Amino acid sequence: MELRGWDQADVILLSADAYVDHPSFGAAVIGRLLEAEGLRVAIIPQPDWHGDLRDFRRLGRPRLWFGVAPGCMDSMVNKYTAARRLRSEDAYSPDGRHGLRPEYPTIVYTQAVKRLFPDVPVVLGGIEASLRRLTHYDYWQDRLRPSILLDSGADAILYGMGELPTLELTHRALELIESYHPDLAYDDEGNAMLTAKAIREALETLPQSVVCYDNKASIPGGITADDIVLHSYEESLREPRFHAENFHHIEEQSNSSDARRLIQQTGKQWVVVNVPYPPLTTEQLDHSFDLPYTRLPHPRYDGKRIPAYDMIRFSVCLHRGCFGGCAFCTISAHQGKAIMNRSKESVLREVEAIAQLPDFRGNLSDLGGPSANMYGMRGKNKKACDHCHRPSCIHPQICPNLNGDHRPLLDIYHAVDALPYIKKSFIGSGVRYDLLLHDWKDEALNRAAADYTRELITRHVSGRLKVAPEHTSDRVLKLMRKPSFRLFYDFKRRFDQINRECSLRQQIIPYFISSHPGCHAEDMAELAITTKQLDFHLEQVQDFTPTPMTTATTMWATGYDPDTLEPVFVARTPAEKQAQRMFFFWYQPEQRQHIEAELRRLGRTDLLIQLFGIKPNPSSSVKSKKTNYKRKKKR
């Protein structure tokens, strides 16, 4: 600040991640965005929250507001496994070190700032706050929690992707400063500074924001027929079904073109979620990605490894959003269902910037997005999309209004691969094979899907293609909002055929989840049998982890499917979860005894025969036990 001649920052951002100046890191995006607006932006990464809080005081008071952006991942998912064990490393900290961020940094950082600067506005952003904006289930505390706005004491949440609400909030804040609002504060030299009280009026109508009011009467405009009033936090605690009903509304309104305001009471306070902005246009998204990122970690980390950065340093994100609507995924809740595309020119500019990095050797690790092959896809009739409330465009069937054209994506692949400094571009993001196998009733689209499939397999796979069928049981897949496993068989046949035709030796690596709501141990046994028949020794597997604001987590917390309000079985205890997870590893000798015991307990010796091919003779087992008893007695 001294070198720049700043006596005060306009905005100070607090991040629980190490600072990497890259468009995949939220603090960098918001910082660069505000800098482009002419603001003086300072970022404090991973401040020490112990002791005298000197890191929070180091840069003084900002002229406008503090922003708390706790990281690219929910802090608890980042720290703990599904078994609530500490992860081997913190992927967003230097050298993967644990202990550089608190649990729930959104709460801890806000409370620290409010203790030091009680009248300065604190605005929350990032995935941790976004997905905890209303009553939510916390897996690590095993209970429903109210909006994180109440737990933290912040002034507002800007949920979802933050560019548009952040810019609008900043413009309104600057207007307040220039208007000499009566609630502004002033420094010794008479310079105006924003206060939490002054900004309340600006937040009342700010799209994509969440604000808390002390009583019902103070809600702007009052509660109208257009608002959706959710069951209160206390009602949700008392009756889990109410929380499931709430989530159905939350999911619908998060991705609706004609969204309505959501209101929820907690105690005497009222949380109001204003409607979201429309999806970013291509021009707006290009602007965000074209900001002058160095694409490097801050020099303070020289000589240290930041694991998450290693994964994305040579990758390019082509779009945001996902219309898959998978029950266990948070992408549509945070990024939205609509696909927001970058232009080919913006993508090529980023590839050129990557090529200038000193250690780039010509290989791009990923040309992808939340789902790699959704780029450019949207509804053919926009008016039909505007009135659609389906959480997924491809489940339970692919919407006939969806334009599933893979040609714009192929055009980008070809343009990137034609660059002289690119040796190979890989697709590391997940691919939706149901979009590739679908009959589009249009020969041009079918041909484009076939061309994409062949090009993907022959030119963009580094020996192993990862796909995510998630399960083999159609009943469980329906709850997951995933297609039937029959489609995986079809895709694998096509994968194997193309590899044979091109003399390639490549593997397809399926990804599966255990303990998802609705999944029983028998379902996992059948999964093990199916994958054994396919000659898979599974590697890409995960025990279901309930994360805030997903359909699957709502099922886990309440025992009800929020779409139908029908009861759903949930494997809750560690023993039940382990009893499902072990079936992934049927081929390990140490697991066989446990699997046999579980299937016998369930009375499913038929599955035992299919899995191991041998059925021990029960009478022989009894006879053996009697013989051993006689021997012991004789001795």
Side-chain angles (χ1 to χ4, degrees):
M1 289 177 70
E2 289 173 354
L3 287 171
R4 290 174 178 238
W6 295 358
D7 56 352
Q8 187 181 33
D10 292 318
V11 174
I12 297 177
L13 303 178
L14 301 164
S15 172
D17 289 344
Y19 183 70
V20 181
D21 192 21
H22 187 283
S24 293
F25 289 75
V29 173
I30 297 302
R32 288 294 187 187
L33 190 74
L34 294 175
E35 179 188 51
E37 295 293 304
L39 272 69
R40 297 169 295 183
V41 186
I43 300 175
I44 306 175
Q46 300 188 317
D48 185 354
W49 68 98
H50 304 93
D52 63 359
L53 306 177
R54 67 185 64 185
D55 284 353
F56 295 89
R57 293 186 287 113
R58 182 165 294 172
L59 302 182
R61 172 193 173 125
R63 187 167 70 109
L64 299 181
W65 44 274
F66 279 103
V68 177
C72 294
M73 286 180 67
D74 184 280
S75 65
M76 303 304 283
V77 177
N78 186 55
K79 185 173 182 178
Y80 296 108
T81 67
R84 297 186 174 95
R85 296 192 183 98
L86 189 70
R87 294 193 186 276
S88 58
E89 62 181 10
D90 181 337
Y92 292 88
S93 291
D95 289 334
R97 283 178 53 199
H98 282 292
L100 297 180
R101 76 174 79 224
E103 295 180 0
Y104 309 102
T106 298
I107 297 172
V108 175
Y109 290 176
T110 300
Q111 291 178 350
V113 168
K114 283 295 187 180
R115 196 179 316 156
L116 298 170
F117 308 98
D119 65 330
V120 178
V122 177
V123 181
L124 308 181
I127 198 163
E128 184 168 88
S130 177
L131 301 185
R132 297 170 185 266
R133 56 187 181 260
L134 287 160
T135 296
H136 57 277
Y137 174 72
D138 189 290
Y139 174 63
W140 297 271
Q141 295 182 2
D142 192 23
R143 57 176 176 152
L144 289 182
R145 298 293 305 155
S147 168
I148 200 168
L149 199 57
L150 302 177
D151 279 339
S152 65
D155 297 285
I157 299 171
L158 303 185
Y159 65 90
M161 307 308 286
E163 287 100 334
L164 295 181
T166 299
L167 287 176
E168 180 60 26
L169 174 65
T170 303
H171 294 157
R172 293 186 184 191
L174 291 172
E175 288 175 4
L176 284 170
I177 290 282
E178 293 168 2
S179 68
Y180 299 101
H181 191 280
D183 292 322
L184 295 176
Y186 295 88
D187 62 17
D188 294 339
E189 298 178 2
N191 298 312
M193 296 181 292
L194 198 63
T195 65
K197 188 175 180 181
I199 205 174
R200 293 288 290 183
E201 188 177 329
L203 291 168
E204 288 179 357
T205 58
L206 179 67
Q208 213 162 304
S209 68
V210 186
V211 187
C212 180
Y213 297 90
D214 290 334
N215 52 66
K216 185 176 180 180
S218 59
I219 296 175
I223 297 176
T224 70
D226 290 332
D227 297 325
I228 296 177
V229 180
L230 304 173
H231 294 291
S232 71
Y233 170 64
E234 289 77 14
E235 288 173 330
S236 300
L237 285 177
R238 188 167 60 251
E239 175 48 68
R241 186 186 177 102
F242 288 163
H243 181 61
E245 289 181 12
N246 283 350
F247 183 79
H248 182 75
H249 292 299
I250 294 167
E251 184 176 44
E252 274 194 349
Q253 301 310 310
S254 296
N255 289 290
S256 176
S257 298
D258 56 351
R260 299 159 64 186
R261 195 169 62 163
L262 296 173
I263 300 175
Q264 185 177 44
Q265 184 180 9
T266 301
K268 295 181 179 180
Q269 297 176 297
W270 293 75
V271 177
V272 176
V273 180
N274 289 320
V275 300
Y277 271 100
L280 292 172
T281 64
T282 293
E283 293 73 23
Q284 289 169 328
L285 193 58
D286 282 355
H287 174 62
S288 182
F289 276 90
D290 289 347
L291 294 166
Y293 306 99
T294 65
R295 303 186 65 85
L296 297 169
H298 192 276
R300 72 186 293 182
Y301 308 119
D302 282 353
K304 297 180 180 178
R305 180 182 68 94
I306 299 173
Y309 170 68
D310 290 343
M311 291 177 62
I312 53 86
R313 63 193 309 183
F314 301 135
S315 70
V316 179
C317 181
L318 306 182
H319 66 272
R320 290 184 188 163
C322 178
F323 50 71
C326 297
F328 47 81
C329 183
T330 62
I331 291 172
S332 63
H334 188 65
Q335 291 193 13
K337 186 174 73 170
I339 303 301
M340 294 164 276
N341 308 294
R342 297 173 65 185
S343 67
K344 180 171 72 174
E345 293 72 23
S346 175
V347 171
L348 294 177
R349 284 193 293 270
E350 184 172 3
V351 173
E352 184 177 354
I354 292 173
Q356 305 305 313
L357 296 174
D359 52 350
F360 181 66
R361 299 291 179 265
N363 294 320
L364 293 174
S365 60
D366 188 22
L367 275 176
S371 289
N373 58 322
M374 287 185 182
Y375 178 88
M377 296 186 183
R378 58 174 59 86
K380 291 176 282 191
N381 180 346
K382 187 178 182 302
K383 288 184 178 179
C385 292
D386 288 343
H387 298 288
C388 177
H389 288 206
R390 280 177 57 178
S392 171
C393 299
I394 53 180
H395 182 86
Q397 295 90 28
I398 292 179
C399 177
N401 188 45
L402 180 65
N403 176 13
D405 192 351
H406 285 82
R407 286 173 293 186
L409 184 53
L410 284 169
D411 184 40
I412 288 183
Y413 288 179
H414 297 158
V416 170
D417 288 347
L419 296 172
Y421 39 78
I422 297 299
K423 296 178 183 176
K424 191 90 170 177
S425 61
F426 297 104
I427 310 304
S429 302
V431 174
R432 290 298 302 232
Y433 53 78
D434 43 350
L435 292 174
L436 300 176
L437 299 172
H438 183 65
D439 181 1
W440 294 101
K441 311 302 181 187
D442 181 329
E443 191 51 40
L445 297 190
N446 289 336
R447 189 164 51 249
D451 291 345
Y452 180 89
T453 303
R454 178 170 290 272
E455 178 152 336
L456 170 72
I457 294 169
T458 58
R459 300 188 60 180
H460 300 286
V461 176
S462 59
R464 310 176 93 197
L465 176 63
K466 296 179 182 179
V467 295
E470 309 295 3
H471 214 286
T472 57
S473 163
D474 282 351
R475 181 177 49 75
V476 177
L477 287 166
K478 183 179 179 181
L479 289 170
M480 290 180 164
R481 296 184 187 151
K482 295 286 288 189
S484 170
F485 193 70
R486 292 189 300 274
L487 285 183
F488 176 78
Y489 282 117
D490 294 342
F491 184 72
K492 185 178 184 303
R493 278 194 292 270
R494 189 169 298 188
F495 178 85
D496 292 339
Q497 177 187 352
I498 292 172
N499 276 284
R500 283 193 302 270
E501 291 172 356
C502 299
S503 300
L504 296 171
R505 295 172 60 87
Q506 298 186 133
Q507 292 178 291
I508 189 168
I509 308 296
Y511 186 97
F512 292 100
I513 296 177
S514 62
S515 302
H516 188 278
C519 180
H520 296 74
E522 293 98 318
D523 298 313
M524 292 303 299
E526 291 170 354
L527 183 153
I529 292 164
T530 300
T531 53
K532 179 185 179 181
Q533 292 168 349
L534 288 166
D535 198 26
F536 287 132
H537 284 194
L538 299 181
E539 302 172 13
Q540 299 292 313
V541 299
Q542 181 181 333
D543 193 14
F544 171 67
T545 304
T547 54
M549 204 169 282
T550 69
T551 299
T553 297
T554 305
M555 295 181 200
W556 172 279
T558 66
Y560 294 99
D561 180 346
D563 293 337
T564 64
L565 295 181
E566 293 291 325
V568 178
F569 167 78
V570 177
R572 294 184 185 279
T573 68
E576 288 176 317
K577 289 169 72 67
Q578 178 54 32
Q580 292 202 20
R581 181 177 172 80
M582 67 182 177
F583 283 100
F584 285 140
F585 309 106
W586 59 267
Y587 54 87
Q588 296 178 353
E590 60 270 23
Q591 296 293 350
R592 176 165 175 164
Q593 181 180 355
H594 300 300
I595 291 173
E596 285 191 21
E598 177 67 9
L599 289 179
R600 290 195 177 281
R601 184 187 71 80
L602 295 170
R604 296 301 304 270
T605 53
D606 57 319
L607 298 178
L608 188 59
I609 295 167
Q610 293 180 67
L611 189 55
F612 295 120
I614 299 174
K615 179 183 178 184
N617 188 334
S619 60
S620 299
S621 177
V622 172
K623 185 177 179 181
S624 175
K625 288 179 181 178
K626 288 181 177 178
T627 303
N628 289 336
Y629 174 75
K630 288 179 180 178
R631 286 174 181 170
K632 288 179 182 178
K633 191 174 181 181
K634 189 175 181 180
R635 285 198 298 268

